[in-house]
Amino acid sequence: MTEVASVITPLEARPLKNTICLFDVDGTLTLARQAASPETLSLLSALRHKCAIGFVGGSDLIKQQEQLGTPAVPVTALFDFCFAENGLTAYRMGKPLMGNSFIEWLGEEKYQELVNFCLVYVAGLKLPIKRGTFVEFRNGMINVSPIGRNASIAERNAYETYDKQHNIRQDFVLALREKFPDNGLTYSIGGKISFDVFPTGWDKTYCLKHLEEEKASSGVEFTTIHFFGDKTFEGGNDYEIYEDARTVGHAVGGPEDTMRLLKDLFDL
């Protein structure tokens, strides 16, 4: 995929110029918090010769660079559209687009009330293990993890099983909704250990506004937007964009499933 970063066919010159494939990251292109395989990156490179490609994830761009980029090439050069934090931080063909800010939208006082409630709630949880970084501040949201984001991969896997049995994250979200019914916030469970909190409407469908603006930029109108994600159930962080009328949604069971679908759909 690194070769494509140096010589990129303009969007308007690609065979399927009105088509874009958008991908969730964790559980779709990679295993949770792990790097994409060389095979995945190679297939995405082949796909990029046919149509536009992009990713949309809740994590910040640094984490997506770790998972999808290479030491030599930034992730913003490997995808036509890079939508970190659901598109609140966005890049088109390597150049930044207009962003937005969660803290400016919510205000410091309400933000502190929210974070304080989360920390007190976590302090009251009895779990098999806890680590660190229970609330992570991002530009367009906060990410809340009962176990803590510093958990190792093995600890994350074990917690995911425990969470499914005991509904820790679901109960946490219910408590937040009850405490803050009028804040205009959405709570979206994703990955293995955490959930995102952001203004309603700032889910992954937020990135679609950037794609709608492409016609004015290059003359390309994306009439077919394929979206691939693993958390497509209601309450999952892929649900809204998967169900959106503007997209063709594909629910996948992991990176290998995503690659299989791409080969079938685009004769790769």
Side-chain angles (χ1 to χ4, degrees):
M1 197 162 180
T2 55
E3 315 87 68
V4 183
S6 57
V7 182
I8 303 172
T9 303
L11 297 177
E12 61 271 21
R14 298 186 196 180
L16 302 174
K17 69 176 185 179
N18 299 115
T19 296
I20 183 170
C21 288
L22 279 180
F23 303 92
D24 166 55
V25 182
D26 279 351
T28 300
L29 292 180
T30 76
L31 297 176
R33 291 299 299 126
Q34 297 186 45
S37 69
E39 292 77 16
T40 295
L41 294 178
S42 177
L43 195 68
L44 291 174
S45 172
L47 178 63
R48 197 180 186 191
H49 284 293
K50 294 193 173 188
C51 66
I53 65 171
F55 67 80
V56 52
S59 295
D60 58 35
L61 193 64
I62 293 174
K63 293 183 180 67
Q64 290 158 349
Q65 170 64 30
E66 293 171 352
Q67 292 180 265
L68 299 174
T70 73
V73 183
V75 67
T76 53
L78 297 177
F79 291 80
D80 302 303
F81 293 90
C82 301
F83 298 128
E85 302 181 49
N86 294 350
L88 276 298
T89 298
Y91 283 77
R92 175 196 177 275
M93 307 298 281
K95 296 182 179 179
L97 300 173
M98 182 86 61
N100 217 327
S101 167
F102 175 64
I103 195 72
E104 290 180 7
W105 182 90
L106 187 61
E108 183 65 31
E109 183 176 350
K110 288 184 177 181
Y111 171 73
Q112 288 200 30
E113 291 176 358
L114 174 65
V115 170
N116 289 345
F117 180 86
C118 289
L119 293 175
V120 170
Y121 190 97
V122 169
L125 288 174
K126 178 63 176 176
L127 302 175
I129 62 169
K130 286 183 184 176
R131 293 299 178 252
T133 310
F134 302 104
V135 177
E136 181 178 79
F137 176 77
R138 300 173 181 172
N139 185 56
M141 66 183 71
I142 61 169
N143 179 265
V144 182
S145 174
I147 185 179
R149 294 194 60 83
N150 292 348
S152 68
I153 290 174
E155 290 166 342
R156 287 165 178 255
N157 291 338
Y159 174 80
E160 182 184 31
T161 300
Y162 183 86
D163 187 79
K164 287 178 179 177
Q165 294 171 346
H166 299 279
N167 297 319
I168 303 299
R169 287 183 289 176
Q170 286 188 25
D171 290 345
F172 201 156
V173 165
L174 288 174
L176 282 162
R177 286 177 175 152
E178 183 177 340
K179 177 66 177 178
F180 304 104
D182 302 317
N183 272 8
L185 296 172
T186 291
Y187 307 92
S188 183
I189 296 172
K192 295 177 180 289
I193 64 168
S194 65
F195 60 90
D196 296 327
V197 184
F198 48 81
T200 299
W202 288 19
D203 52 62
K204 288 183 179 178
T205 61
Y206 187 92
C207 76
L208 299 178
K209 67 186 274 308
H210 295 299
L211 299 183
E212 290 170 346
E213 293 166 357
E214 184 59 32
K215 186 176 182 180
S217 176
S218 67
V220 172
E221 181 179 7
F222 291 120
T223 54
T224 303
I225 302 173
H226 291 280
F227 172 75
F228 301 81
D230 67 315
K231 295 292 191 297
T232 57
F233 53 85
E234 189 169 4
N237 64 358
D238 295 323
Y239 176 75
E240 290 85 1
I241 190 169
Y242 173 78
E243 291 287 340
D244 195 282
R246 293 168 290 180
T247 69
V248 180
H250 305 273
V252 300
E256 291 187 1
D257 197 23
T258 303
M259 298 304 102
R260 178 188 60 78
L261 275 173
L262 290 177
K263 290 175 183 178
D264 290 345
L265 287 170
F266 295 97
D267 194 26
L268 296 170

mmCIF file of all heavy atoms in Angstrom, residues 182-215:
data_model
loop_
_atom_site.group_PDB
_atom_site.id
_atom_site.type_symbol
_atom_site.label_atom_id
_atom_site.label_comp_id
_atom_site.label_asym_id
_atom_site.label_seq_id
_atom_site.Cartn_x
_atom_site.Cartn_y
_atom_site.Cartn_z
ATOM 1 N N ASP A 182 -30.865 15.548 29.781
ATOM 2 C CA ASP A 182 -31.080 16.728 28.938
ATOM 3 C C ASP A 182 -29.800 17.301 28.343
ATOM 4 O O ASP A 182 -29.793 18.422 27.847
ATOM 5 C CB ASP A 182 -31.785 17.823 29.762
ATOM 6 C CG ASP A 182 -33.111 17.340 30.340
ATOM 7 O OD1 ASP A 182 -33.856 16.675 29.603
ATOM 8 O OD2 ASP A 182 -33.370 17.631 31.529
ATOM 9 N N ASN A 183 -28.712 16.551 28.387
ATOM 10 C CA ASN A 183 -27.428 17.076 27.890
ATOM 11 C C ASN A 183 -27.257 16.912 26.383
ATOM 12 O O ASN A 183 -26.282 17.382 25.813
ATOM 13 C CB ASN A 183 -26.257 16.404 28.611
ATOM 14 C CG ASN A 183 -25.876 17.130 29.889
ATOM 15 O OD1 ASN A 183 -26.580 18.040 30.316
ATOM 16 N ND2 ASN A 183 -24.764 16.735 30.492
ATOM 17 N N GLY A 184 -28.171 16.204 25.728
ATOM 18 C CA GLY A 184 -28.049 16.018 24.279
ATOM 19 C C GLY A 184 -26.887 15.135 23.888
ATOM 20 O O GLY A 184 -26.267 15.348 22.844
ATOM 21 N N LEU A 185 -26.607 14.112 24.722
ATOM 22 C CA LEU A 185 -25.446 13.261 24.478
ATOM 23 C C LEU A 185 -25.872 11.865 24.027
ATOM 24 O O LEU A 185 -26.928 11.361 24.406
ATOM 25 C CB LEU A 185 -24.604 13.131 25.753
ATOM 26 C CG LEU A 185 -23.963 14.432 26.256
ATOM 27 C CD1 LEU A 185 -23.327 14.212 27.619
ATOM 28 C CD2 LEU A 185 -22.934 14.938 25.255
ATOM 29 N N THR A 186 -25.024 11.252 23.229
ATOM 30 C CA THR A 186 -25.197 9.877 22.789
ATOM 31 C C THR A 186 -24.096 9.029 23.408
ATOM 32 O O THR A 186 -22.946 9.465 23.511
ATOM 33 C CB THR A 186 -25.134 9.782 21.252
ATOM 34 O OG1 THR A 186 -26.291 10.418 20.699
ATOM 35 C CG2 THR A 186 -25.104 8.329 20.779
ATOM 36 N N TYR A 187 -24.455 7.807 23.814
ATOM 37 C CA TYR A 187 -23.507 6.875 24.430
ATOM 38 C C TYR A 187 -23.423 5.649 23.532
ATOM 39 O O TYR A 187 -24.423 4.978 23.298
ATOM 40 C CB TYR A 187 -23.977 6.498 25.831
ATOM 41 C CG TYR A 187 -24.269 7.706 26.697
ATOM 42 C CD1 TYR A 187 -25.557 8.245 26.750
ATOM 43 C CD2 TYR A 187 -23.270 8.326 27.430
ATOM 44 C CE1 TYR A 187 -25.835 9.367 27.520
ATOM 45 C CE2 TYR A 187 -23.534 9.450 28.203
ATOM 46 C CZ TYR A 187 -24.816 9.964 28.240
ATOM 47 O OH TYR A 187 -25.088 11.076 28.991
ATOM 48 N N SER A 188 -22.239 5.369 23.045
ATOM 49 C CA SER A 188 -22.093 4.354 22.000
ATOM 50 C C SER A 188 -21.028 3.336 22.396
ATOM 51 O O SER A 188 -19.847 3.672 22.534
ATOM 52 C CB SER A 188 -21.712 5.039 20.682
ATOM 53 O OG SER A 188 -21.622 4.107 19.638
ATOM 54 N N ILE A 189 -21.446 2.089 22.586
ATOM 55 C CA ILE A 189 -20.518 1.025 22.980
ATOM 56 C C ILE A 189 -19.740 0.541 21.766
ATOM 57 O O ILE A 189 -20.306 0.238 20.729
ATOM 58 C CB ILE A 189 -21.290 -0.140 23.623
ATOM 59 C CG1 ILE A 189 -21.955 0.319 24.923
ATOM 60 C CG2 ILE A 189 -20.370 -1.327 23.882
ATOM 61 C CD1 ILE A 189 -22.898 -0.701 25.525
ATOM 62 N N GLY A 190 -18.417 0.463 21.911
ATOM 63 C CA GLY A 190 -17.577 0.000 20.811
ATOM 64 C C GLY A 190 -16.343 -0.707 21.348
ATOM 65 O O GLY A 190 -15.977 -0.561 22.515
ATOM 66 N N GLY A 191 -15.674 -1.483 20.494
ATOM 67 C CA GLY A 191 -14.482 -2.180 20.913
ATOM 68 C C GLY A 191 -14.776 -3.208 21.997
ATOM 69 O O GLY A 191 -15.893 -3.692 22.151
ATOM 70 N N LYS A 192 -13.763 -3.516 22.787
ATOM 71 C CA LYS A 192 -13.880 -4.551 23.805
ATOM 72 C C LYS A 192 -14.088 -4.006 25.210
ATOM 73 O O LYS A 192 -14.646 -4.695 26.070
ATOM 74 C CB LYS A 192 -12.608 -5.418 23.802
ATOM 75 C CG LYS A 192 -12.378 -6.209 22.528
ATOM 76 C CD LYS A 192 -11.057 -6.967 22.599
ATOM 77 C CE LYS A 192 -10.810 -7.773 21.331
ATOM 78 N NZ LYS A 192 -11.706 -8.933 21.216
ATOM 79 N N ILE A 193 -13.634 -2.760 25.485
ATOM 80 C CA ILE A 193 -13.542 -2.346 26.885
ATOM 81 C C ILE A 193 -14.161 -0.989 27.193
ATOM 82 O O ILE A 193 -14.112 -0.545 28.337
ATOM 83 C CB ILE A 193 -12.061 -2.301 27.341
ATOM 84 C CG1 ILE A 193 -11.282 -1.237 26.542
ATOM 85 C CG2 ILE A 193 -11.408 -3.670 27.223
ATOM 86 C CD1 ILE A 193 -9.920 -0.913 27.104
ATOM 87 N N SER A 194 -14.760 -0.304 26.222
ATOM 88 C CA SER A 194 -15.130 1.085 26.470
ATOM 89 C C SER A 194 -16.395 1.486 25.723
ATOM 90 O O SER A 194 -16.978 0.707 24.976
ATOM 91 C CB SER A 194 -13.974 2.014 26.057
ATOM 92 O OG SER A 194 -13.756 1.933 24.657
ATOM 93 N N PHE A 195 -16.799 2.730 25.946
ATOM 94 C CA PHE A 195 -17.866 3.334 25.156
ATOM 95 C C PHE A 195 -17.555 4.811 24.970
ATOM 96 O O PHE A 195 -16.820 5.429 25.749
ATOM 97 C CB PHE A 195 -19.244 3.135 25.809
ATOM 98 C CG PHE A 195 -19.384 3.723 27.189
ATOM 99 C CD1 PHE A 195 -19.819 5.027 27.377
ATOM 100 C CD2 PHE A 195 -19.098 2.949 28.303
ATOM 101 C CE1 PHE A 195 -19.958 5.566 28.655
ATOM 102 C CE2 PHE A 195 -19.229 3.477 29.592
ATOM 103 C CZ PHE A 195 -19.654 4.779 29.771
ATOM 104 N N ASP A 196 -18.105 5.379 23.892
ATOM 105 C CA ASP A 196 -17.887 6.785 23.561
ATOM 106 C C ASP A 196 -19.074 7.625 24.013
ATOM 107 O O ASP A 196 -20.217 7.154 24.011
ATOM 108 C CB ASP A 196 -17.704 6.966 22.046
ATOM 109 C CG ASP A 196 -16.460 6.270 21.515
ATOM 110 O OD1 ASP A 196 -15.466 6.204 22.265
ATOM 111 O OD2 ASP A 196 -16.489 5.794 20.372
ATOM 112 N N VAL A 197 -18.791 8.871 24.375
ATOM 113 C CA VAL A 197 -19.826 9.834 24.737
ATOM 114 C C VAL A 197 -19.610 11.072 23.872
ATOM 115 O O VAL A 197 -18.526 11.662 23.871
ATOM 116 C CB VAL A 197 -19.739 10.223 26.232
ATOM 117 C CG1 VAL A 197 -20.892 11.164 26.591
ATOM 118 C CG2 VAL A 197 -19.745 8.986 27.113
ATOM 119 N N PHE A 198 -20.649 11.475 23.115
ATOM 120 C CA PHE A 198 -20.510 12.610 22.206
ATOM 121 C C PHE A 198 -21.876 13.234 21.973
ATOM 122 O O PHE A 198 -22.920 12.626 22.256
ATOM 123 C CB PHE A 198 -19.899 12.157 20.867
ATOM 124 C CG PHE A 198 -20.537 10.936 20.269
ATOM 125 C CD1 PHE A 198 -21.714 11.021 19.552
ATOM 126 C CD2 PHE A 198 -19.955 9.688 20.436
ATOM 127 C CE1 PHE A 198 -22.311 9.907 19.000
ATOM 128 C CE2 PHE A 198 -20.539 8.549 19.894
ATOM 129 C CZ PHE A 198 -21.717 8.668 19.175
ATOM 130 N N PRO A 199 -21.907 14.459 21.451
ATOM 131 C CA PRO A 199 -23.190 15.105 21.160
ATOM 132 C C PRO A 199 -24.009 14.285 20.164
ATOM 133 O O PRO A 199 -23.456 13.719 19.214
ATOM 134 C CB PRO A 199 -22.782 16.453 20.560
ATOM 135 C CG PRO A 199 -21.425 16.721 21.123
ATOM 136 C CD PRO A 199 -20.765 15.369 21.206
ATOM 137 N N THR A 200 -25.302 14.219 20.388
ATOM 138 C CA THR A 200 -26.185 13.504 19.470
ATOM 139 C C THR A 200 -26.030 14.063 18.053
ATOM 140 O O THR A 200 -26.071 15.274 17.843
ATOM 141 C CB THR A 200 -27.645 13.630 19.925
ATOM 142 O OG1 THR A 200 -27.763 13.052 21.236
ATOM 143 C CG2 THR A 200 -28.584 12.915 18.970
ATOM 144 N N GLY A 201 -25.806 13.172 17.102
ATOM 145 C CA GLY A 201 -25.550 13.580 15.726
ATOM 146 C C GLY A 201 -24.081 13.546 15.369
ATOM 147 O O GLY A 201 -23.728 13.597 14.192
ATOM 148 N N TRP A 202 -23.225 13.427 16.401
ATOM 149 C CA TRP A 202 -21.791 13.346 16.155
ATOM 150 C C TRP A 202 -21.312 11.897 16.148
ATOM 151 O O TRP A 202 -20.170 11.601 16.464
ATOM 152 C CB TRP A 202 -21.018 14.144 17.198
ATOM 153 C CG TRP A 202 -21.137 15.635 17.049
ATOM 154 C CD1 TRP A 202 -22.088 16.318 16.362
ATOM 155 C CD2 TRP A 202 -20.283 16.628 17.635
ATOM 156 N NE1 TRP A 202 -21.889 17.672 16.480
ATOM 157 C CE2 TRP A 202 -20.794 17.890 17.260
ATOM 158 C CE3 TRP A 202 -19.158 16.568 18.456
ATOM 159 C CZ2 TRP A 202 -20.198 19.085 17.654
ATOM 160 C CZ3 TRP A 202 -18.569 17.752 18.857
ATOM 161 C CH2 TRP A 202 -19.074 19.000 18.452
ATOM 162 N N ASP A 203 -22.193 10.971 15.778
ATOM 163 C CA ASP A 203 -21.797 9.586 15.600
ATOM 164 C C ASP A 203 -21.070 9.467 14.260
ATOM 165 O O ASP A 203 -20.705 10.476 13.657
ATOM 166 C CB ASP A 203 -23.030 8.679 15.658
ATOM 167 C CG ASP A 203 -24.124 9.148 14.702
ATOM 168 O OD1 ASP A 203 -23.888 9.179 13.478
ATOM 169 O OD2 ASP A 203 -25.220 9.495 15.186
ATOM 170 N N LYS A 204 -20.882 8.271 13.772
ATOM 171 C CA LYS A 204 -20.088 8.096 12.549
ATOM 172 C C LYS A 204 -20.756 8.686 11.309
ATOM 173 O O LYS A 204 -20.085 8.913 10.296
ATOM 174 C CB LYS A 204 -19.741 6.614 12.349
ATOM 175 C CG LYS A 204 -18.695 6.141 13.340
ATOM 176 C CD LYS A 204 -18.276 4.703 13.117
ATOM 177 C CE LYS A 204 -17.207 4.319 14.143
ATOM 178 N NZ LYS A 204 -16.787 2.910 14.012
ATOM 179 N N THR A 205 -22.053 8.964 11.382
ATOM 180 C CA THR A 205 -22.696 9.621 10.238
ATOM 181 C C THR A 205 -22.170 11.040 10.045
ATOM 182 O O THR A 205 -22.351 11.619 8.967
ATOM 183 C CB THR A 205 -24.223 9.676 10.405
ATOM 184 O OG1 THR A 205 -24.557 10.421 11.582
ATOM 185 C CG2 THR A 205 -24.821 8.281 10.511
ATOM 186 N N TYR A 206 -21.516 11.596 11.075
ATOM 187 C CA TYR A 206 -20.953 12.951 10.960
ATOM 188 C C TYR A 206 -19.992 13.043 9.777
ATOM 189 O O TYR A 206 -19.924 14.068 9.096
ATOM 190 C CB TYR A 206 -20.228 13.320 12.256
ATOM 191 C CG TYR A 206 -19.749 14.758 12.309
ATOM 192 C CD1 TYR A 206 -20.540 15.756 12.863
ATOM 193 C CD2 TYR A 206 -18.502 15.125 11.808
ATOM 194 C CE1 TYR A 206 -20.108 17.079 12.915
ATOM 195 C CE2 TYR A 206 -18.063 16.440 11.854
ATOM 196 C CZ TYR A 206 -18.863 17.411 12.405
ATOM 197 O OH TYR A 206 -18.434 18.714 12.442
ATOM 198 N N CYS A 207 -19.254 11.957 9.515
ATOM 199 C CA CYS A 207 -18.259 11.998 8.439
ATOM 200 C C CYS A 207 -18.897 12.131 7.066
ATOM 201 O O CYS A 207 -18.242 12.580 6.104
ATOM 202 C CB CYS A 207 -17.369 10.763 8.480
ATOM 203 S SG CYS A 207 -18.120 9.241 7.850
ATOM 204 N N LEU A 208 -20.177 11.767 6.943
ATOM 205 C CA LEU A 208 -20.824 11.803 5.627
ATOM 206 C C LEU A 208 -20.949 13.224 5.088
ATOM 207 O O LEU A 208 -21.003 13.429 3.876
ATOM 208 C CB LEU A 208 -22.190 11.129 5.686
ATOM 209 C CG LEU A 208 -22.195 9.644 6.093
ATOM 210 C CD1 LEU A 208 -23.620 9.112 6.153
ATOM 211 C CD2 LEU A 208 -21.339 8.820 5.135
ATOM 212 N N LYS A 209 -20.993 14.207 5.995
ATOM 213 C CA LYS A 209 -21.066 15.602 5.543
ATOM 214 C C LYS A 209 -19.833 15.981 4.736
ATOM 215 O O LYS A 209 -19.923 16.745 3.768
ATOM 216 C CB LYS A 209 -21.239 16.559 6.726
ATOM 217 C CG LYS A 209 -20.060 16.653 7.657
ATOM 218 C CD LYS A 209 -20.360 17.508 8.891
ATOM 219 C CE LYS A 209 -20.145 18.972 8.701
ATOM 220 N NZ LYS A 209 -18.878 19.426 8.182
ATOM 221 N N HIS A 210 -18.686 15.419 5.109
ATOM 222 C CA HIS A 210 -17.461 15.687 4.352
ATOM 223 C C HIS A 210 -17.548 15.079 2.950
ATOM 224 O O HIS A 210 -17.080 15.687 1.968
ATOM 225 C CB HIS A 210 -16.248 15.117 5.083
ATOM 226 C CG HIS A 210 -15.964 15.771 6.400
ATOM 227 N ND1 HIS A 210 -15.665 17.121 6.517
ATOM 228 C CD2 HIS A 210 -15.932 15.269 7.659
ATOM 229 C CE1 HIS A 210 -15.449 17.409 7.787
ATOM 230 N NE2 HIS A 210 -15.615 16.314 8.504
ATOM 231 N N LEU A 211 -18.135 13.895 2.854
ATOM 232 C CA LEU A 211 -18.266 13.266 1.543
ATOM 233 C C LEU A 211 -19.255 14.008 0.666
ATOM 234 O O LEU A 211 -19.074 14.098 -0.561
ATOM 235 C CB LEU A 211 -18.704 11.806 1.709
ATOM 236 C CG LEU A 211 -17.759 10.895 2.502
ATOM 237 C CD1 LEU A 211 -18.293 9.470 2.506
ATOM 238 C CD2 LEU A 211 -16.350 10.942 1.924
ATOM 239 N N GLU A 212 -20.293 14.570 1.280
ATOM 240 C CA GLU A 212 -21.274 15.339 0.508
ATOM 241 C C GLU A 212 -20.670 16.613 -0.063
ATOM 242 O O GLU A 212 -21.142 17.136 -1.078
ATOM 243 C CB GLU A 212 -22.476 15.669 1.398
ATOM 244 C CG GLU A 212 -23.321 14.440 1.735
ATOM 245 C CD GLU A 212 -24.351 14.715 2.805
ATOM 246 O OE1 GLU A 212 -24.254 15.766 3.471
ATOM 247 O OE2 GLU A 212 -25.264 13.875 2.988
ATOM 248 N N GLU A 213 -19.613 17.097 0.560
ATOM 249 C CA GLU A 213 -18.949 18.316 0.087
ATOM 250 C C GLU A 213 -17.954 18.047 -1.035
ATOM 251 O O GLU A 213 -17.413 18.985 -1.630
ATOM 252 C CB GLU A 213 -18.228 18.996 1.264
ATOM 253 C CG GLU A 213 -19.187 19.535 2.319
ATOM 254 C CD GLU A 213 -18.487 19.894 3.627
ATOM 255 O OE1 GLU A 213 -17.262 19.655 3.722
ATOM 256 O OE2 GLU A 213 -19.168 20.380 4.545
ATOM 257 N N GLU A 214 -17.715 16.773 -1.346
ATOM 258 C CA GLU A 214 -16.714 16.433 -2.348
ATOM 259 C C GLU A 214 -17.095 16.916 -3.742
ATOM 260 O O GLU A 214 -16.232 17.280 -4.540
ATOM 261 C CB GLU A 214 -16.487 14.917 -2.371
ATOM 262 C CG GLU A 214 -15.390 14.456 -3.317
ATOM 263 C CD GLU A 214 -14.031 15.058 -3.003
ATOM 264 O OE1 GLU A 214 -13.744 15.310 -1.819
ATOM 265 O OE2 GLU A 214 -13.253 15.273 -3.958
ATOM 266 N N LYS A 215 -18.385 16.942 -4.047
ATOM 267 C CA LYS A 215 -18.809 17.377 -5.382
ATOM 268 C C LYS A 215 -18.343 18.791 -5.680
ATOM 269 O O LYS A 215 -17.899 19.098 -6.795
ATOM 270 C CB LYS A 215 -20.329 17.286 -5.509
ATOM 271 C CG LYS A 215 -20.842 17.590 -6.909
ATOM 272 C CD LYS A 215 -22.346 17.384 -7.012
ATOM 273 C CE LYS A 215 -22.835 17.652 -8.424
ATOM 274 N NZ LYS A 215 -24.308 17.455 -8.556
#
